[in-house]
Structures are given as C-alpha cells and as structure tokens.
Amino acid sequence: MMDEMDMEEGGVVKKFMFVNRKAPHGTIYALEGLEVVLISAAFDQDVSLAFCDDGVYELKKGQDTKGIGVKNFSPTYRALEGYDIEKLYVEKESLEARGLTEDDLLVDVQVLSSAELGALMDEQDVVISF
Amino acid sequence: MLHIINKSPFENSTLDSCLRIAKSGGAVLLIEDAVFAATKGSAAESKIKQAMAGMKVYALQPDLAARGVADRVIDGVTLVDYAGFVDLVAENPKLQSWL
Amino acid sequence: MKFGIMVSEGPYTHQASDSAYNFAKAALEKGHEIYRVFFYHDGVNNGTAFTTPPQDDRNIVNRWSELAQQHNLDLVVCVAAAQRRGIVDADEQKRHGKSGNNLAPGFRISGLGQLVEAGIQCDRLVTFGD
C-alpha cells in the first residue's frame, strides 16, 4: 500500500520538525499527524516532534476512549522510540497554562521554554504543523 | 523564518502562540482570517505593533480586500499579493504554517 | 525554485484549497516549479470528481485538474486519508469492492511517503489548512 521505501533518497538528510498544536480526539489532526511521523521514520531523516498549545494533550497519561468509541492512539507515542524517533519537545508555557507537568505525560520528553522551542524551529529544514 | 498565520486573532490563539514562540528577526505573513489582526483600532493592534519591533509583518492584500478591511491596515504592515507571497516564501529558506 | 504544497482541508468549507491554488498559480507564473501538491486530512476531498457546485461558483476540483493538465502537476491524494473519506480510484474500487470510483482527472492516490519525499526534494514546502 505504501510506496515510501521506493522513494528513499540516498544521502539527503533534512531536519524535519512536526509541530503538534491540536488536542487528540476532537479532530483527526493529531492521529493523522502521527501517521506522517511514523512514515517519516522510513526515510532516515533527522526527525523531531514539538508539542505546544493543545498539542500537549496528545501526550496526557491515562487517556481512555472506550466511552466515545474511538481508537486510543496515545500508546503509539511510546512506540516512537522503536522507530528511532526520540526527539520529543514540549513547550513549558503550554504545559503550565493547562495545569500539567512533565509527570502527566506518557512518554519521556524534553521540556523547553518558548524561546528555546522557537530557536529549535528556526534550525529546521522542513516544519510541518498539524 | 517566515511564519504564516491564517486564523482570526479574535477566535483563536494561533497568533499569540506564534508571537510567543517564533524567534525574532523573522517575518509573519497574515492570510485568510488572520488579516483581521492587521487592522487599525482592533484589539489585536497592540500585539501586531509589538511584534513589529522584532519581526517584519506582512498581510495578504486580496484577503484584506475580500473582507472589506483593506483601507484600515496598521501603518508598517506590508501588503503583498499572491506573487508577493511567493516571493516571501522564496526569500525565506525556512517557513512554517501555524495550523 | 522547487515548491511543494500540502492542502489539509477540503474545498468550500475552508479557504485553504483556494489559497493553495492562488499560491500555486502565482508561483508557476513566476517561473517556479511545483514539484507536488499533496492532499491530506479532509484535503483529499479536493480530489472527488463528483463535486457539482452552482453554475456561478468556482469549481475547485476542476480548477486543480486544469492546472495539473496545463503544467503537468503531480496532484497526490493520500491513500489512507482517502480511504477514510471515500475517495476511490478504479484500482481501489476493485480492491475494496466498492460500487464506483470518484477520483478526478489529474489526481493520483498514493502513500504518505509522497509528502515526506516532497519535503526532502523541494526547496520549500508550504502548507495550507485550517
């Protein structure tokens, strides 16, 4: 079904950052964004994920979607390590504004200030936000 | 870095997030409903004026005109058409659409 | 310069597809190359041939098809997003035993890898969405 392996480029490594700014479940952006992240692993690029604004809710521990009848894809964030996607950044201001701390998140992340995240974005070759 | 924003500042915090996070020295392009942020006398005016201290601010003229607000653009905001939008993307090696 | 474009919303409800089209046209007029237009999320709905807007309105789908024909554009609809939303070409129709197909001329259905590959190949990737 997927043809990404055919498309793999020898030698070209770009810095890709996927910026997640939307909460899960209310809209499909978080889920379909995660699908792009998983596919990107096949291209041997320098991939990082940023979570800010309501995107930090994607990583909230204890999501239980049985009552709304949709798939709980949050465990997939824990599987990213297996795809060699290990650079996960969360904006501190977004966490604090939502009364969350790093302990509320289901995966290990690096918490950055707004300025630190902005500087990191500036270093990317390709920024895609969902 | 070019930051493209398309949301009204009155119903959505995208502009705030961009201005909080974006590294200064870059450019902000307001398109679609985000052009309301570029209008004089609006509650967003002070934010845009503050942003202009560290960033260059652009607004898409056809989107301003479509919404009837092309005649009240904040001084210092540069208007571009689609060709100018293309030039901005070409001039800035990095860009991000704040969706 | 080589541009890639991602369209993340369907036609008519959001301005995203109109903005992307106007941007693409202006870029082509300036002599830039559009390497690929990738339709994701509800953006896959830009590829349905069944669209029938009122006479006095623009036909967003036909407009993309015509631009593709004039400039030999690569319009790619994400297969996973398309399957969710019922955008089907003749192959997919056969494979899934559907009663018809609706992919508009000039569009093709392919994997998400095409988006990542566009990010690698293009000088710029511009996203239009909500």
Side-chain angles (χ1 to χ4, degrees):
Chain A
M1 184 176 82
M2 298 293 183
D3 52 3
E4 66 276 1
M5 295 310 287
D6 301 332
M7 291 297 175
E8 201 166 318
E9 269 298 300
V12 183
V13 177
K14 283 193 176 182
K15 292 173 94 124
F16 275 75
M17 177 178 268
F18 297 104
V19 181
N20 299 276
R21 297 187 53 244
K22 296 186 175 117
H25 316 310
T27 58
I28 200 168
Y29 303 106
L31 170 61
E32 287 189 332
L34 189 55
E35 290 178 352
V36 176
V37 171
L38 294 172
I39 293 293
S40 74
F43 285 81
D44 294 323
Q45 300 294 300
D46 181 354
V47 174
S48 59
L49 273 67
F51 297 86
C52 57
D53 299 314
D54 281 350
V56 302
Y57 287 126
E58 295 177 26
L59 302 180
K60 176 72 179 67
K61 272 180 192 164
Q63 295 178 41
D64 177 359
T65 58
K66 284 195 287 289
I68 60 170
V70 303
K71 187 173 153 190
N72 180 6
F73 57 93
S74 66
T76 310
Y77 294 101
R78 276 202 294 261
L80 289 174
E81 211 181 347
Y83 290 82
D84 288 327
I85 295 169
E86 290 167 334
K87 291 185 229 176
L88 275 63
Y89 304 103
V90 174
E91 191 210 14
K92 186 165 172 274
E93 285 77 353
S94 294
L95 277 180
E96 284 173 355
R98 287 158 184 80
L100 299 174
T101 68
E102 210 176 329
D103 293 337
D104 292 308
L105 306 182
L106 49 75
V107 68
D108 285 339
V109 299
Q110 200 176 331
V111 177
L112 301 178
S113 69
S114 308
E116 287 169 329
L117 181 59
L120 202 60
M121 273 178 186
D122 221 59
E123 291 172 12
Q124 306 299 314
D125 297 309
V126 184
V127 181
I128 299 178
S129 99
F130 293 110
Chain B
M1 189 171 199
L2 174 66
H3 299 274
I4 302 168
I5 302 187
N6 73 336
K7 303 290 194 315
S8 166
F10 309 118
E11 67 143 33
N12 187 293
S13 61
T14 300
L15 177 67
D16 294 327
S17 298
C18 172
L19 297 180
R20 182 178 75 236
I21 294 169
K23 198 177 160 185
S24 70
V28 175
L29 170 64
L30 306 167
I31 69 167
E32 300 176 1
D33 287 348
V35 297
F36 294 126
T39 58
K40 270 182 205 165
S42 79
E45 185 175 7
S46 60
K47 283 180 200 169
I48 292 298
K49 285 192 162 158
Q50 213 182 324
M52 285 194 293
M55 316 268 279
K56 193 106 174 62
V57 179
Y58 300 86
L60 195 63
Q61 201 279 338
D63 277 329
L64 284 159
R67 289 160 178 80
V69 293
D71 59 347
R72 58 183 69 192
V73 176
I74 297 166
D75 297 334
V77 172
T78 308
L79 302 190
V80 293
D81 56 9
Y82 284 102
F85 183 174
V86 171
D87 289 341
L88 276 177
V89 171
E91 286 159 17
N92 287 273
K94 292 153 187 222
L95 73 130
Q96 180 183 6
S97 294
W98 286 75
L99 300 182
Chain C
M1 198 168 262
K2 210 187 271 188
F3 290 150
I5 294 174
M6 172 158 86
V7 180
S8 297
E9 294 297 338
Y12 303 105
T13 303
H14 294 93
Q15 201 187 336
S17 187
D18 291 289
S19 296
Y21 175 81
N22 288 322
F23 179 87
K25 240 177 79 172
L28 291 164
E29 278 163 16
K30 286 187 146 280
H32 295 292
E33 179 193 343
I34 305 287
Y35 178 76
R36 179 169 296 145
V37 185
F38 189 84
F39 296 89
Y40 196 42
H41 302 306
D42 279 358
V44 299
N45 291 313
N46 286 286
T48 168
F50 291 167
T51 299
T52 316
Q55 286 286 327
D56 60 350
D57 198 356
R58 71 224 185 276
N59 188 318
I60 293 180
V61 176
N62 289 357
R63 226 168 43 174
W64 279 117
S65 292
E66 285 157 16
L67 198 68
Q69 199 188 8
Q70 285 160 17
H71 298 275
N72 199 20
L73 294 190
D74 189 21
L75 307 181
V76 177
V77 171
C78 169
V79 62
Q83 284 173 344
R84 283 193 178 109
R85 294 162 178 89
I87 307 297
V88 177
D89 64 7
D91 285 350
E92 292 282 307
Q93 179 194 352
K94 222 176 282 170
R95 187 172 306 134
H96 300 285
K98 298 294 178 184
S99 59
N101 61 71
N102 60 343
L103 191 70
F107 289 81
R108 66 185 178 96
I109 292 183
S110 189
L112 262 179
Q114 299 276 304
L115 171 63
V116 181
E117 198 247 354
I120 296 169
Q121 295 295 335
C122 293
D123 299 305
R124 306 282 187 275
L125 180 65
V126 193
T127 308
F128 295 89
D130 181 36

